Amino acid sequence: MAHDIPASSDRAYDVSKTEDEWRGELSAAEYHVLREAGTERPFSSSFETDTTEAVYACRACGSELFRSDTKFDAHCGWPAFYSPLAEDRVEYIEDTTMGMKRTEVRCANCGSHLGHVFQGEGFDTPTDLRYCINGISLTQEPVQG
């Protein structure tokens, strides 16, 4: 069953900082991915295959974005999820770079780049979506219990 990917919202971000402030808080690699829409090297994040029961939050602002119960191994080189924690946690931006049309995923709380979402790839997930997220853009908080 296919699901439509929502269009981007034009709302203001709750967390708003200057680029100099972001540079002061993030490492060079984190800044490149989160603030310049870069991509980490494939297979460089331990989160890709990590099976810890956890909540994944935006590294830039701490907003909770994904849960481990929606994470799956897509063998793509980056952590993959089939759904965000809630639709208001992320925003979607049309991305036409690299000669193709893709949907960029950003943190709705601070506007930081997380990765991209793809639809219709045939994964056996409830949504038929693959949120391909840069591990460097996330923090992991293990669930206690």
Side-chain angles (χ1 to χ4, degrees):
M1 175 166 93
H3 289 73
D4 290 331
I5 298 172
S8 171
S9 66
D10 289 325
R11 66 182 191 211
Y13 298 114
D14 290 342
V15 175
S16 180
K17 299 179 183 185
T18 67
E19 292 309 307
D20 285 340
E21 289 172 317
W22 286 120
R23 278 187 191 92
E25 294 178 15
L26 301 169
S27 72
E30 292 166 350
Y31 183 86
H32 175 65
V33 170
L34 289 158
R35 305 307 305 169
E36 298 177 324
T39 301
E40 69 187 354
R41 284 185 356 266
F43 305 103
S44 64
S45 173
S46 64
F47 293 160
E48 181 193 10
T49 57
D50 190 310
T51 59
T52 303
E53 187 177 346
V55 174
Y56 292 87
C58 175
R59 183 173 299 277
C61 73
S63 180
E64 294 182 351
L65 302 170
F66 300 95
R67 292 189 59 88
S68 57
D69 59 358
T70 65
K71 188 170 174 287
F72 68 102
D73 190 355
H75 306 284
C76 63
W78 296 273
F81 302 86
Y82 62 79
S83 177
L85 190 61
E87 280 299 326
D88 65 349
R89 303 296 176 102
V90 296
E91 71 172 341
Y92 304 94
I93 308 293
E94 184 178 303
D95 178 0
T96 57
T97 61
M98 299 180 61
M100 63 181 95
K101 183 177 176 185
R102 302 182 294 170
T103 303
E104 179 187 358
V105 180
R106 292 186 188 174
C107 174
N109 195 47
C110 70
S112 290
H113 173 77
L114 302 171
H116 290 85
V117 61
F118 302 95
Q119 183 174 16
E121 296 178 317
F123 288 105
D124 186 20
T125 61
T127 63
D128 196 30
L129 298 174
R130 175 176 58 98
Y131 287 78
C132 184
I133 305 298
N134 290 285
I136 199 170
S137 69
L138 301 172
T139 61
Q140 180 193 68
E141 183 64 39
V143 174
Q144 302 300 317

